[in-house]
């Protein structure tokens, strides 16, 4: 029995009867719906729903896309990503993307729990860029760009899939190609001090400063790794992915404080140190020296951050993708642009 959350006519954005491709709301709704379609494609496959019984097509057909390829995880044979192509004549301006590549989040069931859970750990501890799922994703996007000679591609993902989309977008951005990227509830792969509610604010601030100085010392000690991080971070600065987070979601909410704290320290001495350490993590620095070269998905120099102001019921709903196509979603937007050779960053809200 299919969940109502998987049925487009019950839970989908049926309010969007026509699409304004210049409207950020409409872009967000379409991107989130195609990510949901990818998740439901895997559920259709697992439950042997095909033809008229399949639920996934209803999530892409209203937006005039067609699924031209599914991406398969070679460990559990599950569908983790899809490539969608826009199939109607393109309007003159503004136009939709020619392709959208999407990645689903973790499916918390017995069938997918082991492989998805392992990849979740790779996101937390570093090394998602060393997994076969990421390599399949990157190869698919690079092949799409080469075969069709186009950069008119959107990337989109939710939760674990957002991490895959982030690192894929990072790798491509390092070649000075900046794909439009939508990240829904992306995991923040670092334990924030805000989780420890028993600590007072002064102690938290001291611990933050100690952490910053420690990372700065390690970064300065590892000169070669520091220069490499600077070069890569500078290349990424012009790439501005769209992040969608909810304050009630413990998995992604730390992005809010991640950027706000960097803004607060702008112009201060500790802010200069943070400019040095924000380009890498201790795990990345150590892995670089050891030759592992892990990529931490949460380290972003620039971002367009959208925070959902609506209060939802518990962390599960706050982490869910359905919130991002609701008609009454209230979002607060902030732009963060990293600028090397300035004191820290430029911010605007």
């Amino acid at each position: 029995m299919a969940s109502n959350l998987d049925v487009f006519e019950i839970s989908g954005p049926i309010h969007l009867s026509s699409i304004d491709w210049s409207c950020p709301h409409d872009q967000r709704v379409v991107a989130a719906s195609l990510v949901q379609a990818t998740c439901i494609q895997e559920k259709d496959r697992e439950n042997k729903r095909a033809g008229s019984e399949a639920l996934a097509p209803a999530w892409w057909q209203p937006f005039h896309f067609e699924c031209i390829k599914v991406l398969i995880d070679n460990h559990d044979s599950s569908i983790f990503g899809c490539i969608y192509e826009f199939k109607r004549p393109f309007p003159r301006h503004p136009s939709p993307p020619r392709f959208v590549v999407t990645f689903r989040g973790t499916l918390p069931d017995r069938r997918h729990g082991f492989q998805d859970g392992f990849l979740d750990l790779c996101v937390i501890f570093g090394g998602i860029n060393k997994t076969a799922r990421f390599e399949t994703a990157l190869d698919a996007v690079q092949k799409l760009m080469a075969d069709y000679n186009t950069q008119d591609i959107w990337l989109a993902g939710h939760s674990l899939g957002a991490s895959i989309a982030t690192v894929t977008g990072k790798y491509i951005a390092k070649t000075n190609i900046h794909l439009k990227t939508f990240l829904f509830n992306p995991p923040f792969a670092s334990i924030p001090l805000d989780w420890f509610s028993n600590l007072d604010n002064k102690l938290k601030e001291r611990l933050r400063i100690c952490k910053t100085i420690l990372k700065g010392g390690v970064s300065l000690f590892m000169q070669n790794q520091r220069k490499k991080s600077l070069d890569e971070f500078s290349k990424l600065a012009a790439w501005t992915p769209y992040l969608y987070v909810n304050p009630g979601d413990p998995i992604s909410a730390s992005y809010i404080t991640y950027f706000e704290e960097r803004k607060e320290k702008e112009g201060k001495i500790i802010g200069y140190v943070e400019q040095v350490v924000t380009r890498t993590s201790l795990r990345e620095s150590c892995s670089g020296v050891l030759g592992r070269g892990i990529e931490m998905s949460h380290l972003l120099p620039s971002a367009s951050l959208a925070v959902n102001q609506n209060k939802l019921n518990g962390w599960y709903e706050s982490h869910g993708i359905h919130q991002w196509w609701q008609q009454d979603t209230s979002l607060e937007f902030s732009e963060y642009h990293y600028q090397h050779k300035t004191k820290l960053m430029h911010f605007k809200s």
Side-chain angles (χ1 to χ4, degrees):
M1 183 69 178
S3 167
N4 286 342
L5 294 176
D6 296 341
V7 181
F8 182 86
E9 291 76 11
I10 298 175
S11 300
I14 56 176
H15 65 276
L16 195 64
S17 56
S18 63
I19 304 170
D20 178 358
W21 289 103
S22 65
C23 175
H25 168 273
D26 291 6
Q27 293 179 8
R28 182 187 77 248
V29 169
V30 172
S33 297
L34 294 180
V35 173
Q36 175 71 347
T38 302
C39 182
I40 297 175
Q41 282 230 72
E42 168 55 17
K43 293 181 180 180
D44 282 346
R45 183 195 69 83
E46 183 181 14
N47 292 289
K48 297 180 173 56
R49 295 192 297 250
S52 61
E53 295 183 354
L55 300 178
W59 289 88
W60 69 71
Q61 290 172 347
F63 310 117
H64 312 297
F65 281 92
E66 179 180 316
C67 181
I68 62 171
K69 184 176 181 179
V70 295
L71 306 181
I72 305 296
D73 187 296
N74 60 5
H75 289 286
D76 63 2
S77 301
S78 68
I79 297 172
F80 75 88
C82 293
I83 299 177
Y84 300 96
E85 183 178 11
F86 190 78
K87 285 298 185 180
R88 291 191 74 179
F90 278 74
R92 290 185 179 180
H93 184 78
S95 63
R98 184 174 181 184
F99 298 101
V100 181
V101 185
T102 62
F103 309 102
R104 67 166 174 84
T106 300
L107 290 175
D109 55 36
R110 185 180 301 177
R111 170 74 172 76
H112 306 89
F114 181 82
Q115 178 63 3
D116 284 2
F118 167 75
L119 293 170
D120 288 335
L121 292 176
C122 289
V123 172
I124 295 171
F125 296 106
I128 190 67
N129 60 313
K130 298 297 183 181
T131 63
R133 184 176 292 192
F134 163 72
E135 291 174 356
T136 300
L138 181 61
D139 288 346
V141 175
Q142 291 176 330
K143 188 174 188 301
L144 190 66
M145 294 168 60
D147 289 351
Y148 292 89
N149 190 28
T150 183
Q151 298 175 20
D152 189 12
I153 300 170
W154 287 5
L155 303 178
H158 173 248
S159 191
L160 170 60
S163 293
I164 298 288
T166 301
V167 182
T168 301
K170 275 187 173 185
Y171 268 64
I172 293 173
K174 291 172 185 177
T175 66
N176 293 316
I177 297 173
H178 306 126
L179 302 182
K180 195 164 193 174
T181 304
F182 298 82
L183 307 173
F184 301 101
N185 303 93
F188 190 84
S190 181
I191 299 176
L193 292 173
D194 291 334
W195 284 14
F196 302 97
S197 57
N198 58 322
L199 300 179
D200 60 57
N201 291 332
K202 287 185 178 180
L203 180 57
K204 287 180 182 178
E205 182 61 21
R206 289 170 184 166
L207 289 173
R208 287 191 183 100
I209 292 173
C210 290
K211 180 181 178 182
T212 297
I213 293 173
L214 174 62
K215 290 174 68 178
V218 172
S219 180
L220 290 171
F221 178 74
M222 299 176 178
Q223 291 289 335
N224 292 335
Q225 182 65 20
R226 183 167 68 92
K227 185 179 184 303
K228 179 182 177 183
S229 298
L230 171 59
D231 293 341
E232 291 185 350
F233 221 68
S234 298
K235 287 181 180 179
L236 290 175
W239 177 57
T240 307
Y242 295 85
L243 272 66
Y244 299 92
V245 304
N246 189 307
D249 173 22
I251 295 175
S252 66
S254 293
Y255 275 105
I256 302 172
T257 53
Y258 171 74
F259 285 110
E260 284 181 349
E261 287 175 3
R262 286 161 63 176
K263 178 181 178 180
E264 290 172 0
K265 293 179 176 64
E266 184 177 7
K268 301 177 182 179
I269 293 176
I270 191 66
Y272 173 76
V273 177
E274 284 226 353
Q275 186 188 41
V276 175
V277 305
T278 194
R279 299 188 298 263
T280 189
S281 69
L282 290 175
R283 282 164 285 182
E284 277 192 351
S285 297
C286 295
S287 72
V289 172
L290 296 173
R292 290 186 57 209
I294 66 172
E295 182 89 38
M296 300 303 297
S297 60
H298 71 285
L299 295 175
L300 295 171
S302 305
S304 178
L305 181 67
V307 180
N308 189 356
Q309 300 299 303
N310 294 353
K311 291 186 177 180
L312 302 179
N313 296 323
W315 76 268
Y316 189 78
E317 284 192 13
S318 297
H319 187 66
I321 195 170
H322 291 76
Q323 64 187 300
W324 303 116
W325 60 69
Q326 300 303 321
Q327 195 169 10
D328 61 348
T329 298
S330 176
L331 301 181
E332 180 180 281
F333 295 91
S334 298
E335 297 282 335
Y336 300 92
H337 298 287
Y338 177 89
Q339 294 179 343
H340 185 58
K341 295 183 181 179
T342 62
K343 288 186 178 179
L344 182 59
M345 301 176 70
H346 169 68
F347 298 86
K348 63 180 180 179
S349 298

